Amino acid sequence: MTFSATSCHMDCPPVKPSTRRKRGVVAVIFRDAKLLVIRRALTVTAPGKLCLPGGGIEKGESEEQALVREMEEELAIRVTPVQLCYRSVTSWGTNLAWWYAELHEQEHPTANPAEVADVFWMSREEVRIANDLLPSLPPFLVAWERGEIGLDCDWC
């Protein structure tokens, strides 16, 4: 359901920032036909789960800026956002923007232990059979396999 500015009467109270849904960004990064996957640290939400790297979008920050910042904070890498490829909402109500990003060849992810327990480059089959996936990842993979996400890359 979408709302336009005209769908609310003038006497509607303004939406307070504290009632808005959280927003997050997810990085979709490939190298040598493998997808960058992390295992979340035990001290963060959904501890120990496998997922794509990402995090919250701060006030005043664009999705692209958040993506770049989060990759620097979590993995000490510089990325270039290329295109928004998917949107989803987590079971706890966070709006996620999934961005395909390029990782410069000389960059190698290094886990920030405060947020990331481990870093993996995984094939499609390895992700499919992995245990402990964060619940937001399988629907992304299904949408991609159905052709609903236009990523121009070979992921075997």
Side-chain angles (χ1 to χ4, degrees):
M1 181 181 299
T2 59
F3 294 95
S4 67
T6 59
S7 67
C8 183
H9 299 298
M10 295 301 289
D11 58 349
C12 289
V15 176
K16 295 180 180 158
S18 61
T19 62
R20 291 187 182 152
R21 286 187 171 180
K22 286 184 167 184
R23 295 172 52 225
V25 66
V26 178
V28 181
I29 300 171
F30 294 93
R31 179 174 278 167
D32 300 324
K34 301 236 177 173
L35 182 63
L36 179 60
V37 177
I38 64 167
R39 182 171 304 282
R40 300 169 68 89
L42 296 178
T43 56
V44 300
T45 304
K49 295 290 185 184
L50 291 174
C51 63
L52 302 189
I57 300 172
E58 296 178 356
K59 186 176 180 174
E61 200 173 41
S62 71
E63 292 174 356
E64 297 96 321
Q65 290 167 330
L67 183 76
V68 169
R69 178 186 50 75
E70 284 290 341
M71 294 309 96
E72 289 174 352
E73 289 176 6
E74 285 188 6
L75 300 170
I77 55 175
R78 290 176 297 139
V79 299
T80 302
V82 176
Q83 73 178 42
L84 176 67
C85 58
Y86 185 67
R87 288 195 183 276
S88 66
V89 179
T90 67
S91 59
W92 52 89
T94 299
N95 290 304
L96 295 178
W98 300 64
W99 276 82
Y100 173 61
E102 290 179 348
L103 177 63
H104 307 285
E105 196 61 37
Q106 69 277 13
E107 297 282 331
H108 299 282
T110 303
N112 171 351
E115 299 185 38
V116 177
D118 210 347
V119 178
F120 308 95
W121 290 101
M122 299 177 81
S123 70
R124 183 185 304 249
E125 188 59 30
E126 288 170 329
V127 174
R128 274 194 184 125
I129 63 171
N131 294 336
D132 301 330
L133 290 179
L134 198 64
S136 58
L137 187 51
F140 168 79
L141 298 173
V142 168
W144 186 15
E145 290 174 350
R146 288 182 180 162
E148 298 167 14
I149 298 171
L151 288 176
D152 186 25
C153 63
D154 292 323
W155 185 40
C156 19

